[in-house]
Amino acid sequence: MSDHVSGATGAGRPGDSMAEIEAAFAPLAGRRILDIGCGPGRLVAALARRGAVVTGVDPEPGAVAEARALVSDADIRQAGAEALPFVDAAFDGAIFLNSLHHVPLDGMDRALAEALRVVGPAGTLLVIEPLPQGPFFEALRPLEDETAVRLAAQDALAAFAAGPADLVDLREWDRIERFASLDVFLERIVAADPARRDLLDAARPEIARRFEAHGEPGPQGRMLAQPMRMHRFRQARG
């Protein structure tokens, strides 16, 4: 499910996903972390390199196979976010990275509750989601318009903060990506979801127009910013 790990091979820049994850769970070494919607395992690998004890779950068998091949010593399981196969308080922290909006709309509340259950009263739940706005989003829309699901994820997070969870931090930043060409951009968005490839031919002309219109030109190609929002939760105190 999750589609990108900014700063995954470096220390992480302030205001990018990896930097925020490192700050939320510092020190990462030895931390038991669950990546919910792990996709092909890029975040699992990045956290494992930093010494965390990482488990990943994803409902798609192809993604699970890729993640297991990438991080052969990690525990990667096929499971949906709405029914996590772990006991209460099994982890020090859990992360949804660009994955909550892929959960079925009627399952988002349950998925958040499950994540909080498996981290327990002492654990932390981090949810990082793209907002339905910005140049990257506008370039992607002809291929897949995620406006409704991204808004639904934000609504679920707001309800969660008002109910069973304490919101301890809320941050926003722009994820910045640079693409040398339209083809590089297209490979990036198809890699995030291979099912998009079947729609690519029909959408390509409009994507190309938007890539030119919304991408900021520079020496390394075009820059596309994607606004991100991070929620950090703990179990609500009674």
Side-chain angles (χ1 to χ4, degrees):
M1 287 184 185
S2 59
D3 67 349
H4 190 69
V5 183
S6 183
T9 58
R13 302 178 303 276
D16 76 10
S17 297
M18 198 65 229
E20 297 295 344
I21 291 168
E22 288 182 296
F25 296 111
L28 270 171
R31 296 281 192 195
R32 300 168 301 158
I33 305 294
L34 175 64
D35 180 9
I36 303 173
C38 67
R42 287 185 288 271
L43 179 59
V44 173
L47 293 173
R49 287 195 296 270
R50 290 161 170 81
V53 180
V54 194
T55 299
V57 295
D58 199 282
E60 299 297 331
V64 169
E66 287 187 61
R68 286 173 175 168
L70 182 64
V71 195
S72 58
D73 57 347
D75 182 5
I76 310 292
R77 305 191 193 185
Q78 184 179 345
E82 308 94 314
L84 296 173
F86 308 105
V87 300
D88 295 359
F91 301 96
D92 300 311
I95 304 169
F96 287 90
L97 176 60
N98 301 337
S99 58
L100 181 63
H101 67 280
H102 292 292
V103 174
L105 297 182
D106 61 358
M108 288 184 183
D109 293 343
R110 179 61 181 165
L112 291 167
E114 275 286 274
L116 205 61
R117 176 185 68 79
V118 300
V119 302
T124 294
L125 169 60
L126 205 65
V127 184
I128 300 174
E129 277 285 305
L131 297 175
Q133 61 195 55
F136 189 102
F137 175 73
E138 291 300 332
L140 172 67
R141 284 180 75 179
L143 188 62
E144 184 174 3
D145 188 345
E146 293 187 333
T147 301
V149 293
R150 292 189 186 191
L151 288 175
Q154 293 303 314
D155 288 345
L157 289 163
F160 194 58
D166 282 338
L167 178 63
V168 297
D169 198 6
L170 178 67
R171 301 189 186 195
E172 293 186 7
W173 65 88
D174 282 345
R175 184 187 74 204
I176 304 297
E177 295 186 68
R178 293 174 175 82
F179 300 95
S181 67
L182 173 64
D183 286 338
V184 174
F185 174 67
L186 293 175
E187 282 304 311
R188 158 76 171 86
I189 61 178
V190 168
D193 183 355
R196 293 170 174 167
R197 191 174 296 278
D198 293 339
L199 308 173
L200 195 56
D201 287 346
R204 184 183 178 105
E206 180 60 14
I207 295 173
R209 187 189 71 78
R210 288 170 176 250
F211 181 76
E212 294 294 321
H214 295 284
E216 182 178 329
Q220 295 177 313
R222 292 194 174 266
M223 181 184 77
L224 294 171
Q226 170 58 62
M228 307 292 293
R229 181 177 291 161
M230 181 199 79
H231 292 74
R232 181 153 60 99
F233 296 105
R234 287 185 180 272
Q235 284 191 3
R237 293 179 173 85

